C-alpha cells in the first residue's frame, strides 16, 4: 500500500468499478435476497441545468441508506432524475437571450420551447457527474427527466382523471401575477417583504348630517377609478349613522363615480379610519368581498403592469387630459400622478409618508406581485387534503423529526384550491384545445410571416390571416373563463388552437413517484412502489412532499413513501445561511477535490440532526480527511504485519473461527487475552448500535460512534496495548476481524476509502474473497464470549 491515502488516485477508478460490477442496479446486484422486500428511494430531482450545491450534498443521507440496505441483501434501487424547473429555467434562458440582445417575444411558442430544450440539454449532465463524484450509488440506467414522454403521459392522464372527477375547473380568479416575469405564482411561491410607502387618506364622502366623513386610507390611490365600494365593519360605532345609506358619489380624479357602502365583519376597525376602499380586480381580500357582496370586477392593470384606461370614456377636457396622462404608464408612475392630482383636487386630506407595511413579491426576482383576475386552471384541494391528513394520522406515512407532522396538518387543514397554470413556455403544456368556431372571443398573440408581433381576437384576425399562420406563430392564447374546450393529447381538429399555459412545475414533480416508476403497469412500478424513504429538506414539505402524498393517494390509494426524513439545511461555519451576496457559499465539489468525497460526506453527517441546520467549514472537512488517512494507516499496518508468512499462517485458523463464530474461542490453541476479548465485545456492541442507529435515522450517532471506536479504541488503545506482545498471530487475527468489520460498518458513509482498503487487502491476500465491499453482507453480532 502507498504510504498515504490520496483520494485522487482512487475515487474515479473505484466508482467505475462499482458501475461496471452492476452493483447499482437491483437486476444485477450481487448478494441479493430476491425474496426480501425491495428498498427504494427516489432522488429529489435537481434542476437539469444546475450545478451541485451544498444542499444537494446532503443526499448523502440517501446513499447511506441505499448502501446499508444493499449490504443487508435487500433488492435496492436509488432512482435519479432531473427537473425541468419550469419558470426558473425559462428565467435563466431569458437572461441568456438578453445578453445576446434578444427576448422571448421574438420567438413563437414552439421555437422558444425547442431552443430552451436544447439549452438545457447542452448544459445538462454536469449535476449527474458531480453526484458521482460524491460517490452516490444511483441506478443511472433508470434516470428520468421531467419532460420525458413517460412523465408527460402520466401527468396528462392525471389531469384527465381530475377533469372526469370534477376536481379541475377554470375560473376568473384573483391570482398572484408577476408583470415582470409574465406568469402567475402560487401562495407558496411569493414572499412578503417590509417596505415604507406613503399612506394616503382620501375623503370619499363628506359627513354632511353624519358624525364622520368617509375617509379611506390606502397605499394604492391609482386603482380608485375602478373601486366598486367602500367597506365598514358593522361593529364600528363611529359609522352607525351611515347604515341607512347604501351608496355615495365620490368626486374622483376622473370625475364622479358611484360607490356602494358594504358592511362586513372582516374589516379591520383599527386600520386607518376603519373605512376601506374595495378594488375587486386587484386585491385578494377585495376580490373575496366582491364575490360575497356581488360587486363588479373591472380590471384596470394589464398584463404588462400598466394602467389600461382604454375602456374609459372621458366627458370633459380635464378627464381627457388625465386619461391620456395615466393610460399606458406603469403602476408606480401612475400612483404618483394620481396622488398629485387628488391632492390638487383636495380629496387627499392627509399623507403618512413613513407607513411601514408588507408587500408581496415573487420568490425568484423580488419583483412586485400584482393581484390580477384572470382565467386560470385550478385543482379542488380539499378532497385531496382530507386523504393526506388521514394517511398521516393513520401512520401510513411518518415524519422525521415528528414535529413537522403538526405543520403538515396545519397546511392541509387550511389549504386553498391550487392554481396549476403558468403563463410560460417551458414545461408540460396543459393538454387543452379551443375551437375557433365555438370560441370567437379567443385572444391571441402571434408572429406573422414577417416576424411581426400581432395581438387581437381570433374572429377579427381571420379576416387578414390564415389560421395556419396564427397557429405556426402562436405565442400566447387567452380564452374567456366560459370558453368551450376539449382535453386531448393531440389536436382534435383543423379549427382548434392549443392552450398555451403550462402546468405548474409542482404539478408534474408532485407525481414524481408515479412517473419515475412507470405508473401504472410497468414492472418497476409493481416491484418498487410504494418507496420506503423520501429524504428532502424541510422547506419543501408543502411545495412537494405533501403534494406527492396527495397525488399518489388520488391515483393509487397508497402513500408514495413510508417515511419522510427532513434533513438539515447546510450553513456556513457560523450558522449563517449561505448566499452569494454574503460571500459565504461553500462549493462541495471544491472540497471534494481538495480533501476527498469521504471527508465531505462524514463532515455533513457528524453533528447533524433532522430539521436543524448543520454548519460546514473547510476545517471540519479537513479534519475528517485526517480520519481517512488514519483508516489507511491502520490498514497499512495490518498489511505489513501479515507479510510475515509464519504469523499470517498461524493466525489463519483463529481468523476462520472468528469469521465462522465458532465458540468458545479460548479452547483453541490461540487463546484470546482480555484486551482481545474486550475489543471483540465492543465490536459486537458497535454492530448493534450502528444497525440500530441506521434503523432509527440517527445518522450522526452512527458516524460519530464509528469514528470514536476506530480512532480511540482500535488505533489508540488496542494497537498500543499489543506492541509488546509476542503472540502476533492473535493480534493479526483480531485486527483483521475487527478492522474488516469496521470497514463494512463505515462503508455507507465513507465508501471510497473503505473500498480502496478492501481492494488493497484483497490484492495482499488478507481477504478470502474477491467480492467488492459495496455488496459484502452487513455484519451480524458475534458472541465472542461464553
Amino acid at each position: 500500500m502507498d504510504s498515504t491515502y490520496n483520494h485522487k488516485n482512487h475515487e474515479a477508478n473505484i466508482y467505475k468499478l462499482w458501475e461496471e460490477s452492476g452493483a447499482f442496479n437491483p437486476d444485477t446486484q450481487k448478494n441479493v435476497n430476491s425474496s426480501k422486500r425491495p428498498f427504494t428511494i427516489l432522488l429529489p430531482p435537481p434542476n437539469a441545468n444546475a450545478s451541485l450545491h451544498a444542499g444537494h450534498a446532503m443526499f448523502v443521507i440517501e446513499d447511506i441508506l441505499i448502501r446499508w440496505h444493499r449490504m443487508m441483501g435487500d433488492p435496492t434501487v436509488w432512482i435519479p432524475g432531473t427537473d425541468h424547473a419550469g419558470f426558473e429555467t425559462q428565467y435563466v434562458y431569458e437572461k441568456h437571450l438578453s445578453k445576446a440582445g434578444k427576448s422571448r417575444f421574438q420567438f413563437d411558442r414552439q421555437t422558444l420551447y425547442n431552443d430552451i430544450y436544447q439549452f438545457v440539454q447542452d448544459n445538462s449532465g454536469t449535476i449527474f457527474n458531480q453526484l458521482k463524484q460524491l460517490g452516490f450509488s444511483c441506478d443511472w440506467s433508470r434516470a428520468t427527466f421531467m419532460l420525458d414522454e413517460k412523465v408527460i403521459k402520466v401527468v396528462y392522464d392525471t389531469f384527465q382523471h381530475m377533469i372526469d372527477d370534477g376536481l379541475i375547473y377554470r375560473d376568473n380568479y384573483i391570482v398572484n401575477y408577476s408583470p415582470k416575469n409574465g406568469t402567475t405564482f402560487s401562495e407558496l411561491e411569493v414572499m412578503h417583504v417590509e417596505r415604507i410607502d406613503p399612506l394616503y387618506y382620501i375623503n370619499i364622502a363628506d359627513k354632511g348630517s353624519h358624525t364622520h366623513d368617509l375617509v379611506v386610507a390606502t397605499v394604492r390611490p391609482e386603482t380608485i377609478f375602478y373601486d366598486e365600494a367602500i367597506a365598514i365593519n358593522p361593529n364600528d360605532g363611529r359609522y352607525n349613522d351611515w347604515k341607512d345609506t347604501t351608496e355615495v358619489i365620490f368626486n374622483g380624479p376622473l370625475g364622479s363615480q358611484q360607490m356602494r357602502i358594504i358592511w362586513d365583519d372582516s374589516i379591520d376597525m383599527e386600520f386607518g379610519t376603519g373605512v376601506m376602499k374595495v378594488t375587486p380586480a386587484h386585491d385578494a381580500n377585495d376580490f373575496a368581498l366582491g364575490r360575497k357582496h356581488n360587486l363588479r370586477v373591472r380590471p384596470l392593470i394589464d398584463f404588462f403592469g400598466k394602467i389600461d384606461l382604454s375602456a374609459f370614456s372621458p366627458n370633459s377636457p380635464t378627464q381627457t387630459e388625465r386619461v391620456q396622462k395615466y393610460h399606458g404608464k406603469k403602476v408606480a408612475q401612475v400612483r404618483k400622478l394620481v396622488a398629485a392630482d387628488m391632492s390638487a383636487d383636495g380629496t387627499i386630506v392627509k399623507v403618512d409618508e413613513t407607513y411601514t407595511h408588507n408587500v408581496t413579491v415573487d420568490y425568484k426576482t423580488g419583483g412586485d406581485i400584482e393581484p390580477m383576475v384572470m382565467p386560470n386552471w385550478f385543482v379542488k384541494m380539499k378532497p385531496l387534503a382530507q386523504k393526506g391528513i388521514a394517511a398521516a394520522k393513520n401512520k401510513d406515512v411518518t415524519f422525521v423529526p415528528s414535529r413537522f407532522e403538526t405543520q403538515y396538518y396545519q397546511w392541509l387543514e387550511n389549504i386553498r384550491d391550487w392554481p396549476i397554470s403558468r403563463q410560460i413556455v417551458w414545461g408540460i403544456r396543459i393538454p387543452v384545445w379551443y375551437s375557433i368556431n365555438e370560441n370567437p372571443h379567443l385572444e391571441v398573440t402571434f408572429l406573422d410571416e414577417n416576424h411581426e408581433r400581432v395581438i387581437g381576437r381570433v374572429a377579427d384576425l381571420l379576416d387578414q390571416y390564415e389560421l395556419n399562420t396564427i397557429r405556426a406563430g402562436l405565442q400566447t392564447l387567452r380564452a374567456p373563463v366560459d370558453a368551450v374546450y376539449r382535453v386531448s393529447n393531440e389536436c382534435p381538429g383543423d379549427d382548434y388552437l392549443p392552450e398555451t399555459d403550462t402546468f405548474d412545475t409542482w404539478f408534474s414533480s408532485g407525481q414524481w413517484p408515479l412517473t419515475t416508476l412507470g405508473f401504472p403497469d410497468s414492472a418497476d412500478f409493481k416491484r418498487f412502489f410504494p418507496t420506503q424513504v423520501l429524504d428532502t429538506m424541510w422547506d419543501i414539505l408543502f411545495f412537494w412532499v405533501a403534494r406527492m402524498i396527495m397525488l399518489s393517494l388520488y391515483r393509487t390509494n397508497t402513500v408514495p413513501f413510508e417515511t419522510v426524513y427532513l434533513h438539515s439545511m447546510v450553513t456556513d461555519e457560523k450558522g449563517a445561511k449561505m448566499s452569494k451576496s454574503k460571500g459565504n457559499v461553500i462549493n462541495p465539489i471544491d472540497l471534494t477535490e481538495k480533501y476527498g468525497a469521504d471527508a465531505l460526506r462524514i463532515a455533513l453527517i457528524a453533528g447533524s440532526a433532522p430539521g436543524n441546520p448543520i454548519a460546514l467549514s473547510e476545517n471540519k472537512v479537513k479534519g475528517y480527511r485526517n480520519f481517512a488517512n488514519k483508516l489507511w494507516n491502520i490498514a497499512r499496518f495490518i498489511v505489513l504485519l501479515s507479510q510475515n508468512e509464519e504469523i499470517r499462517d498461524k493466525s489463519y485458523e483463529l481468523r476462520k473461527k472468528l469469521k465462522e463464530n465458532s465458540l468458545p474461542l479460548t479452547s483453541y490453541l490461540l487463546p484470546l487475552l482480555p484486551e482481545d476479548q474486550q475489543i471483540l465485545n465492543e465490536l459486537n456492541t458497535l454492530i448493534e448500535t450502528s444497525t440500530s442507529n441506521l434503523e432509527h435515522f440517527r445518522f450522526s450517532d452512527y458516524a460519530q460512534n464509528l469514528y470514536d471506536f476506530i480512532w480511540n479504541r482500535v488505533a489508540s488503545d488496542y494497537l498500543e496495548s499489543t506492541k509488546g506482545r509476542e503472540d502476533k498471530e492473535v493480534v493479526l487475527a483480531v485486527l483483521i476481524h475487527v478492522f474488516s468489520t469496521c470497514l463494512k460498518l463505515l462503508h455507507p458513509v465513507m465508501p471510497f476509502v473503505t473500498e480502496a482498503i478492501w481492494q488493497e487487502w484483497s490484492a495482499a491476500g488478507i481477504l478470502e474473497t474477491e467480492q467488492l465491499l459495496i455488496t459484502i453482507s452487513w455484519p451480524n453480532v458475534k458472541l465472542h464470549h461464553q
Side-chain angles (χ1 to χ4, degrees):
M1 293 177 67
D2 295 336
S3 58
T4 58
Y5 175 66
N6 186 341
H7 63 277
K8 293 181 180 179
N9 296 337
H10 297 278
E11 290 182 349
N13 292 332
I14 287 173
Y15 199 90
K16 183 180 179 182
L17 198 64
W18 289 333
E19 283 196 288
E20 292 176 350
S21 75
F24 299 166
N25 189 326
D27 303 326
T28 55
Q29 176 186 335
K30 294 180 176 63
N31 195 38
V32 66
N33 184 344
S34 57
S35 66
K36 295 183 71 175
R37 185 187 184 206
F39 181 82
T40 307
I41 294 180
L42 306 178
L43 180 79
N47 295 354
N49 61 327
S51 293
L52 188 135
H53 57 66
H56 296 131
M58 280 305 298
F59 294 151
V60 65
I61 294 286
E62 298 167 42
D63 197 38
I64 289 172
L65 290 170
I66 287 291
R67 288 179 180 273
W68 171 49
H69 278 275
R70 191 182 287 126
M71 296 173 79
M72 293 284 286
D74 302 330
T76 303
V77 63
W78 187 14
I79 299 179
T82 50
D83 190 6
H84 68 273
F87 165 72
E88 291 193 4
T89 298
Q90 182 163 328
Y91 176 74
V92 170
Y93 184 71
E94 288 189 28
K95 288 178 69 177
H96 169 76
L97 282 178
S98 179
K99 290 178 182 178
K102 300 178 181 178
S103 86
R104 71 175 185 269
F105 301 115
Q106 297 172 262
F107 303 89
D108 64 82
R109 189 185 191 285
Q110 190 58 51
T111 299
L112 183 59
Y113 178 92
N114 293 341
D115 288 350
I116 299 175
Y117 190 94
Q118 190 59 52
F119 174 78
V120 170
Q121 294 301 308
D122 292 344
N123 290 278
S124 294
T126 299
I127 190 74
F128 277 0
N129 290 330
Q130 291 173 329
L131 293 173
K132 291 179 180 182
Q133 277 187 266
L134 295 186
F136 290 176
S137 55
C138 299
D139 183 355
W140 303 106
S141 69
R142 285 177 162 88
T144 299
F145 175 45
M146 198 69 79
L147 291 176
D148 287 346
E149 283 300 319
K150 68 174 184 177
V151 175
I152 296 174
K153 181 180 178 182
V154 172
V155 171
Y156 278 4
D157 191 53
T158 296
F159 182 72
Q160 181 66 67
H161 271 75
M162 287 182 160
I163 288 277
D164 295 341
D165 291 341
L167 292 174
I168 298 286
Y169 65 94
R170 289 185 89 234
D171 195 6
N172 276 327
Y173 202 79
I174 194 89
V175 294
N176 298 311
Y177 186 81
S178 169
K180 182 175 182 179
N181 297 293
T183 189
T184 57
F185 288 90
S186 74
E187 286 294 323
L188 294 172
E189 295 170 320
V190 297
M191 301 183 299
H192 302 282
V193 297
E194 199 171 83
R195 187 181 295 172
I196 297 176
D197 282 312
L199 180 66
Y200 301 95
Y201 288 76
I202 304 171
N203 188 14
I204 301 295
D206 291 332
K207 63 184 179 181
S209 62
H210 303 91
T211 307
H212 295 282
D213 295 338
L214 295 182
V215 176
V216 299
T218 181
V219 294
R220 303 205 65 176
E222 74 280 2
T223 62
I224 203 157
F225 317 129
Y226 284 1
D227 282 359
E228 292 294 319
I230 55 173
I232 308 170
N233 193 310
N235 300 309
D236 193 335
R238 291 173 293 180
Y239 303 102
N240 281 341
D241 54 359
W242 279 97
K243 285 186 176 178
D244 292 333
T245 306
T246 58
E247 61 185 31
V248 294
I249 302 298
F250 169 55
N251 187 25
L254 292 181
S256 298
Q257 60 189 89
Q258 191 175 16
M259 301 175 74
R260 282 175 54 190
I261 301 177
I262 61 176
W263 303 86
D264 198 278
D265 291 333
S266 67
I267 306 305
D268 183 1
M269 294 184 286
E270 302 300 320
F271 174 72
T273 64
V275 182
M276 186 181 85
K277 74 187 199 68
V278 183
T279 319
H282 296 294
D283 182 277
N285 292 325
D286 293 6
F287 181 80
L289 277 173
R291 287 207 157 180
K292 184 176 179 181
H293 295 277
N294 196 29
L295 300 177
R296 291 182 302 174
V297 178
R298 295 186 297 160
L300 173 68
I301 301 167
D302 67 18
F303 293 107
F304 301 100
K306 296 179 180 180
I307 296 295
D308 181 4
L309 289 171
S310 57
F312 189 88
S313 299
N315 54 26
S316 73
T318 300
Q319 287 184 15
T320 300
E321 177 192 347
R322 288 184 174 181
V323 166
Q324 292 173 348
K325 182 165 56 173
Y326 304 152
H327 178 70
K329 291 185 174 65
K330 291 287 187 180
V331 167
Q333 186 178 1
V334 176
R335 183 174 302 156
K336 294 178 181 178
L337 295 173
V338 171
D341 286 341
M342 284 201 292
S343 293
D345 294 343
T347 49
I348 289 183
V349 295
K350 175 184 172 182
V351 180
D352 178 355
E353 296 286 355
T354 60
Y355 174 63
T356 301
H357 66 131
N358 286 325
V359 178
T360 306
V361 299
D362 79 73
Y363 77 102
K364 187 67 179 178
T365 67
D368 281 5
I369 289 293
E370 191 63 65
M372 298 277 281
V373 174
M374 59 187 298
N376 253 265
W377 294 91
F378 288 85
V379 177
K380 296 177 182 178
M381 294 305 294
K382 292 235 178 257
L384 304 182
Q386 288 166 0
K387 288 187 176 182
I389 292 169
K393 290 191 173 180
N394 294 335
K395 300 303 177 186
D396 296 329
V397 60
T398 57
F399 298 86
V400 181
S402 59
R403 70 177 185 271
F404 283 98
E405 186 174 337
T406 301
Q407 296 184 24
Y408 172 83
Y409 290 141
Q410 289 172 346
W411 186 66
L412 291 190
E413 287 166 356
N414 296 284
I415 199 166
R416 295 182 180 182
D417 286 353
W418 178 13
I420 57 168
S421 44
R422 296 290 178 270
Q423 292 70 47
I424 59 174
V425 165
W426 184 239
I428 300 176
R429 189 186 65 80
I430 295 175
V432 161
W433 302 80
Y434 303 95
S435 164
I436 60 170
N437 295 320
E438 294 178 289
N439 300 285
H441 298 296
L442 295 175
E443 294 184 359
V444 295
T445 304
F446 71 100
L447 298 179
D448 66 13
E449 293 172 341
N450 297 318
H451 237 60
E452 295 293 328
R453 205 158 181 253
V454 181
I455 301 173
R457 287 197 318 166
V458 170
D460 301 329
L461 294 169
L462 286 174
D463 293 336
Q464 185 176 352
Y465 300 95
E466 296 288 334
L467 180 59
N468 284 338
T469 300
I470 296 174
R471 186 183 290 120
L474 189 62
Q475 291 183 329
T476 60
L477 177 149
R478 283 194 291 275
V481 71
D482 57 353
V484 179
Y485 62 85
R486 291 265 309 269
V487 178
S488 174
N489 295 1
E490 306 293 336
C491 181
D494 293 338
D495 66 328
Y496 282 83
L497 287 174
E499 171 67 81
T500 54
D501 283 4
T502 58
F503 286 115
D504 177 7
T505 299
W506 297 108
F507 186 75
S508 51
S509 61
Q511 300 176 64
W512 190 237
L514 307 177
T515 56
T516 50
L517 294 171
F519 171 81
D521 298 321
S522 76
D524 272 4
F525 184 78
K526 294 173 182 177
R527 185 182 182 191
F528 298 120
F529 185 89
T531 67
Q532 281 58 63
V533 176
L534 185 280
D535 161 60
T536 188
M537 206 172 89
W538 51 264
D539 64 334
I540 54 174
L541 174 62
F542 314 124
F543 276 113
W544 191 43
V545 179
R547 285 167 172 167
M548 281 193 287
I549 293 171
M550 289 186 287
L551 289 169
S552 287
L553 284 168
Y554 172 66
R555 294 307 312 270
T556 71
N557 289 318
T558 305
V559 293
F561 27 75
E562 296 160 2
T563 301
V564 176
Y565 182 89
L566 300 164
H567 65 233
S568 302
M569 178 180 72
V570 183
T571 68
D572 69 10
E573 60 185 322
K574 297 178 181 178
K577 185 176 180 179
M578 295 184 193
S579 71
K580 291 181 180 178
S581 61
K582 293 179 182 176
N584 65 344
V585 173
I586 297 174
N587 187 326
I589 293 302
D590 290 345
L591 292 176
T592 296
E593 291 175 350
K594 191 171 183 178
Y595 299 111
D598 293 322
L600 175 65
R601 288 168 64 110
I602 192 170
L604 288 166
I605 296 304
S608 69
N612 294 318
I614 176 68
L616 182 65
S617 67
E618 184 169 350
N619 283 336
K620 186 178 182 183
V621 178
K622 184 177 181 180
Y624 283 109
R625 188 275 311 272
N626 296 339
F627 180 51
N629 288 334
K630 176 67 74 173
L631 297 172
W632 189 262
N633 291 336
I634 296 171
R636 187 165 176 267
F637 173 82
I638 294 170
V639 169
L640 293 174
L641 187 58
S642 69
Q643 288 177 351
N644 184 310
E645 291 185 15
E646 182 180 0
I647 294 174
R648 185 175 65 225
D649 292 344
K650 284 184 178 181
S651 72
Y652 176 76
E653 191 65 27
L654 179 55
R655 288 159 53 198
K656 183 178 178 182
K657 300 306 178 185
L658 286 169
K659 184 177 180 181
E660 293 175 354
N661 198 22
S662 298
L663 301 169
L665 294 169
T666 51
S667 64
Y668 294 98
L669 296 176
L670 299 173
L672 298 175
L673 296 183
E675 57 263 38
D676 304 324
Q677 189 67 65
Q678 183 178 354
I679 198 72
L680 292 170
N681 289 340
E682 291 180 13
L683 180 67
N684 284 335
T685 301
L686 183 67
I687 295 170
E688 289 180 323
T689 57
S690 295
T691 304
S692 177
N693 283 331
L694 291 178
E695 287 174 342
H696 295 92
F697 305 99
R698 295 190 293 260
F699 299 106
S700 179
D701 291 347
Y702 152 76
Q704 290 181 319
N705 286 350
L706 281 166
Y707 177 93
D708 292 340
F709 180 81
I710 294 169
W711 192 290
N712 297 318
R713 291 296 294 119
V714 176
S716 298
D717 297 339
Y718 183 72
L719 279 178
E720 286 298 317
S721 72
T722 62
K723 282 186 176 179
R725 286 173 57 170
E726 296 182 0
D727 55 345
K728 298 297 185 185
E729 63 277 10
V730 176
V731 173
L732 179 61
V734 172
L735 275 175
I736 290 175
H737 176 71
V738 169
F739 196 65
S740 64
T741 302
C742 287
L743 292 177
K744 296 173 187 177
L745 296 174
L746 193 60
H747 178 76
V749 68
M750 299 184 73
F752 284 115
V753 66
T754 53
E755 186 73 76
I757 291 170
W758 196 263
Q759 295 306 309
E760 292 284 353
W761 274 19
S762 181
I766 293 175
L767 303 173
E768 292 86 44
T769 179
E770 295 183 356
Q771 188 175 342
L772 297 177
L773 179 57
I774 191 174
T775 51
I776 286 290
S777 295
W778 186 256
N780 292 316
V781 172
K782 298 185 183 298
L783 304 176
H784 295 132
H785 55 274
Q786 297 185 53

